[in-house]
């Protein structure tokens, strides 16, 4: 059976070569370097309503409302080691000096509702605690997704994101 497949693959190499390249690139992205290096971002999660975005590698001031990619470095990496340094695509909902409040499990930044903290992570039964109420310190951001299931700064094990972890500003296309 394997011999038949190999013969078929050799005869129709032009069909299998693109698939092999896609799998090789996916493996490199997962195991070698998770940072996107092409100027387009393809979002496959429901955390934001955008599927395709343009990556602008600029330095400078990041403002509230900007969309960014950042390398995840939250405490959740102790429970999910595969998250370490993975790129996350979120919107900046809070900047230094903004006040983070928690009312029950509802999280607010400067009095604006930024989401309800769920009780458990989608993957397994890891309990999720809301972020600690605080003032966002210098060089940190509160990141937000629009989905109720988004894993963002509303959770203590995700937390605030340091400016050095921001990879790029992103402009949603659609």
């Amino acid at each position: 059976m394997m011999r038949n497949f190999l013969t078929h693959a050799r005869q129709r190499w032009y069909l299998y070569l693109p698939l092999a390249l896609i799998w090789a690139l996916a493996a490199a992205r997962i195991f070698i370097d998770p940072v996107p290096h092409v100027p387009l971002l393809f979002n496959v999660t429901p955390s934001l309503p955008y599927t395709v975005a343009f990556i602008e590698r600029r330095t400078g001031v990041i403002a509230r409302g900007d969309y960014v990619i950042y390398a995840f470095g939250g405490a959740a990496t102790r429970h999910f080691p595969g998250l370490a340094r993975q790129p996350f695509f979120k919107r900046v909902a809070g900047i230094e000096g903004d006040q983070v409040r928690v009312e029950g499990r509802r999280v607010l930044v400067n009095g604006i509702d930024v989401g309800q903290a769920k009780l458990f992570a989608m993957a397994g039964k890891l309990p999720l605690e809301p972020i600690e109420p605080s003032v966002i310190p210098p060089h940190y951001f509160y990141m937000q997704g629009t989905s109720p299931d988004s894993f963002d700064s509303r959770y203590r094990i995700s937390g605030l994101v340091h400016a050095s972890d921001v990879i790029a500003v992103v402009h949603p296309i659609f």
Side-chain angles (χ1 to χ4, degrees):
M1 182 154 162
M2 181 60 113
R3 184 180 197 101
N4 290 341
F5 171 75
L6 293 174
T7 301
H8 176 75
R10 189 172 50 244
Q11 291 171 344
R12 291 178 181 81
W13 63 270
Y14 51 88
L15 296 174
Y16 291 95
L17 182 62
L19 291 174
L21 288 174
I22 290 169
W23 279 103
L25 290 172
R29 175 94 189 263
I30 292 169
F31 298 112
I32 299 170
D33 184 7
V35 177
H37 293 285
V38 294
L40 287 178
L41 170 72
F42 298 96
N43 181 32
V44 295
T45 70
S47 66
L48 290 173
Y50 305 106
T51 306
V52 180
F54 175 74
I55 298 172
E56 178 187 347
R57 297 195 187 279
R58 70 172 160 112
T59 57
V61 178
I62 295 171
R64 185 182 298 103
D66 282 350
Y67 290 91
V68 299
I69 303 172
Y70 63 93
F72 186 80
T77 58
R78 288 192 300 266
H79 302 283
F80 305 105
L83 287 177
R85 310 304 298 162
Q86 287 297 313
F88 274 39
F89 174 36
K90 306 285 183 205
R91 185 179 73 82
V92 177
I95 58 174
E96 75 177 69
D98 286 354
Q99 171 117 22
V100 177
R101 282 193 357 246
V102 179
E103 297 175 358
R105 298 193 70 81
R106 176 92 22 221
V107 181
L108 301 103
V109 174
N110 289 343
I112 298 170
D113 187 347
V114 291
Q116 174 89 14
K118 294 172 49 171
L119 293 172
F120 296 97
M122 286 178 67
K125 291 294 181 192
L126 178 68
L128 294 172
E129 293 297 321
I131 190 170
E132 286 286 325
S134 65
V135 173
I136 299 175
H139 311 294
Y140 280 87
F141 301 102
Y142 183 102
M143 299 297 182
Q144 175 190 17
T146 57
S147 168
D149 293 325
S150 182
F151 189 61
D152 54 25
S153 292
R154 76 185 96 170
Y155 300 107
R156 200 173 294 176
I157 64 172
S158 181
L160 300 174
V161 174
H162 194 271
S164 64
D165 290 332
V166 174
I167 298 167
V169 173
V170 179
H171 302 282
I173 298 171
F174 62 88

